[in-house]
């Protein structure tokens, strides 16, 4: 399935919260940003909103604490930086895990096998083909 992700680049969180409320989209979109202070402010303004913390580099305890303060339900991490052991750790903390940007078949397969919840790709058609063929699939829940 798919969901609209709104990526913050600049601007006041109050303005975006107002627009999303006026359009009745607060519970229909994910709002993501690399600016975690901005995400904290957005979460305080509109706690019903699904927040995604964009990040990269090594996932450290300090970063995890900062993510927690954003109110995020999802971590959207650079695929080159996320380690396989980070995925179960994030899941244990209650986060969905998304990676960016993966475009090749073997990376799709590996991401699914690692338990990734969502993939940002420039090749959604190819990913859908591989999922439909059963080539890309997440491990069965234990």
């Amino acid at each position: 399935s798919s969901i609209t992700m709104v990526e913050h680049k600049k601007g006041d969180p109050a303005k975006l919260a107002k627009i999303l409320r006026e359009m009745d989209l607060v519970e229909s979109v994910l709002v993501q940003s690399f600016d975690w202070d901005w995400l904290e402010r957005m979460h305080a303004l509109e706690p019903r909103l699904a927040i995604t913390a964009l990040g990269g580099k090594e996932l450290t305890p300090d970063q995890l604490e900062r993510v927690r303060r954003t109110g995020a339900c999802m971590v959207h991490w650079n695929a080159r930086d996320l380690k396989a052991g980070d995925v179960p750790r994030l899941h244990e903390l209650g986060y969905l895990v998304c990676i960016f940007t993966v475009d090749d078949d073997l990376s799709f397969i590996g991401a699914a096998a690692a338990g990734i919840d969502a993939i940002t790709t420039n090749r959604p058609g190819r990913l859908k083909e591989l999922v439909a063929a059963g080539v890309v699939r997440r491990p069965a829940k234990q």
Side-chain angles (χ1 to χ4, degrees):
S1 68
S2 61
I3 188 167
T4 300
M5 296 175 90
V6 177
E7 184 171 341
H8 160 256
K9 299 290 186 177
K10 65 178 185 172
D12 178 28
K15 287 182 182 177
L16 179 57
K18 180 178 186 284
I19 290 167
L20 293 174
R21 285 184 197 117
E22 287 172 355
M23 297 180 72
D24 195 27
L25 292 173
V26 169
E27 297 183 50
S28 303
V29 300
L30 288 169
V31 172
Q32 63 180 5
S33 181
F34 285 101
D35 183 342
W36 296 355
D37 293 331
W38 186 92
L39 288 175
E40 279 187 63
R41 292 193 306 275
M42 176 57 89
H43 180 65
L45 287 165
E46 186 47 81
R48 297 175 298 158
L49 190 63
I51 300 285
T52 303
L54 279 161
K57 301 199 167 90
E58 182 182 355
L59 191 60
T60 65
D62 283 348
Q63 285 177 311
L64 287 172
E65 174 55 26
R66 295 254 0 259
V67 168
R68 187 194 61 75
R69 292 197 315 257
T70 68
C73 62
M74 179 183 279
V75 173
H76 192 171
W77 217 254
N78 187 326
R80 291 187 307 263
D81 298 327
L82 199 63
K83 306 291 184 262
D86 293 332
V87 178
R89 181 167 51 145
L90 288 164
H91 283 156
E92 286 169 10
L93 293 170
Y95 299 109
L96 294 171
V97 182
C98 183
I99 56 171
F100 67 89
T101 300
V102 173
D103 292 326
D104 63 279
D105 290 5
L106 292 180
S107 293
F108 293 148
I109 294 165
I116 296 294
D117 299 294
I119 296 171
T120 298
T121 183
N122 295 308
R123 299 180 65 213
R126 179 60 178 161
L127 178 54
K128 282 182 158 185
E129 288 173 10
L130 293 171
V131 169
V135 174
V136 170
R137 61 183 177 277
R138 290 178 46 156
K141 297 271 185 194
Q142 301 281 330

